[in-house]
Amino acid sequence: MKKTILILISIAIFTVGSAYAQDLQKILDKYFETIGQEKLLKVQTQITIGKTLQMGMEMPFKTMSKRPNKAYMEVEIQGAKMVMAFDGENGWAIQPWTGSAEPVDLQGPELRPMREMSDMDGSLWNYVEKGHQIELLGTEEMEGTEVYVLKLTRKDGDISHYYLDSEKYVMLKLSYKMVVNGQETEMIALMSNFQDVEGYIMPFTTEQRFDGQTGMTITFDEVKFNVDIDDAIFVKPAPADVEN
């Protein structure tokens, strides 16, 4: 259960015709302009502090990202601190509920959220260079708001759908399928409470649903950019270095 919670928390993009491709690029350009992507490109590190609410249980968390491609997350669950990290090549975790404080390697579905977190620019930015493909599927209504629906096929074949407000050009929804405890689950993230952090617009509240059921609500309390972060925090510690 605790392992599943940690993986879920770590989760808070075809070839198209020329006319649609032009529309797609216009939509992406407007989206990046709206959220302040140029500001984000200048950010070297990001620290986020917040909390997750699931089934009445509040779990404080802290995430750290650093260029290039490093990510770290710690979550406090019932007095125990769980850790997941990615050093740019390999992922690892400390899972106290297993009875051991020694770090273990992350692989497969467990590694994916940390690898994605390490991409500070987001999957939509420079998607071609990353080996992804994006298709504009058209528009649809989302609770009274018209949204553009983008289908992103990642280099590894995983598929995600992004829903962008057609007037405000912020991302309102993200959906994709993931494997949890050996079973495929549809994850939907609904974003709201957008705030400006040094010129970059980001959602401070995200509701995650799994197979249509509300799973958890993630709230950011504080986001800081360009704070010094030691590279050592992303590196898998030797067993002797882990605090018991």
Side-chain angles (χ1 to χ4, degrees):
M1 175 62 177
K2 292 180 179 178
K3 178 180 179 180
T4 300
I5 290 175
L6 185 59
I7 294 174
L8 296 181
I9 292 175
S10 64
I11 300 179
I13 231 182
F14 292 78
T15 302
V16 297
S18 59
Y20 242 25
Q22 292 176 7
D23 289 342
L24 171 62
Q25 192 56 53
K26 289 180 180 179
I27 291 170
L28 289 175
D29 289 345
K30 184 63 176 178
Y31 166 67
F32 293 133
E33 177 186 356
T34 298
I35 66 173
Q37 185 75 19
E38 291 298 327
K39 296 284 186 179
L40 182 62
L41 296 177
K42 299 176 182 178
V43 172
Q44 297 302 309
T45 66
Q46 176 177 330
I47 297 178
T48 302
I49 298 173
K51 53 185 173 292
T52 297
L53 183 64
Q54 183 179 41
M55 296 185 297
M57 181 172 59
E58 186 174 284
M59 295 166 283
F61 70 85
K62 179 179 181 180
T63 67
M64 290 183 279
S65 301
K66 184 176 182 178
R67 297 183 189 274
N69 304 113
K70 295 180 176 64
Y72 173 94
M73 180 183 69
E74 61 183 44
V75 183
E76 183 178 331
I77 304 178
Q78 297 178 335
K81 185 173 73 172
M82 273 63 75
V83 175
M84 296 177 73
F86 181 70
D87 64 8
E89 295 183 1
N90 302 297
W92 56 273
I94 297 176
Q95 306 166 335
W97 62 84
T98 64
S100 172
E102 294 189 5
V104 296
D105 293 332
L106 290 176
Q107 297 178 350
E110 295 180 357
L111 178 60
R112 172 179 170 173
M114 297 310 299
R115 187 188 297 275
E116 291 186 4
M117 188 185 299
S118 73
D119 181 3
M120 295 181 61
D121 299 329
S123 298
L124 297 181
W125 180 257
N126 283 345
Y127 68 92
V128 175
E129 294 180 10
K130 296 172 182 176
H132 306 332
Q133 294 179 319
I134 299 181
E135 178 182 1
L136 172 60
L137 299 183
T139 62
E140 65 179 55
E141 292 292 315
M142 178 179 161
E143 298 182 356
T145 299
E146 183 183 69
V147 295
Y148 294 116
V149 184
L150 308 182
K151 176 183 177 181
L152 184 145
T153 303
R154 300 175 186 275
K155 184 178 181 179
D156 61 9
D158 285 347
I159 295 175
S160 302
H161 291 84
Y162 293 78
Y163 301 77
L164 309 182
D165 189 313
S166 65
E167 292 186 1
K168 297 181 179 179
Y169 286 91
V170 292
M171 189 182 303
L172 299 180
K173 177 180 174 181
L174 165 66
S175 68
Y176 64 86
K177 293 184 178 181
M178 58 185 295
V179 177
V180 179
N181 293 333
Q183 296 186 337
E184 187 175 73
T185 301
E186 182 183 33
M187 193 285 289
I188 294 176
L190 302 173
M191 284 73 87
S192 61
N193 187 21
F194 291 88
Q195 297 188 30
D196 186 321
V197 181
E198 299 183 24
Y200 179 66
I201 307 300
M202 60 192 307
F204 268 54
T205 302
T206 300
E207 177 187 333
Q208 288 192 340
R209 298 177 181 176
F210 304 99
D211 289 335
Q213 302 297 315
T214 299
M216 65 180 68
T217 299
I218 301 172
T219 302
F220 292 172
D221 295 323
E222 183 180 13
V223 177
K224 297 183 289 186
F225 291 150
N226 294 323
V227 177
D228 288 340
I229 301 176
D230 191 335
D231 285 348
I233 196 170
F234 304 102
V235 179
K236 179 182 176 181
D241 295 333
V242 178
E243 297 181 4
N244 295 318

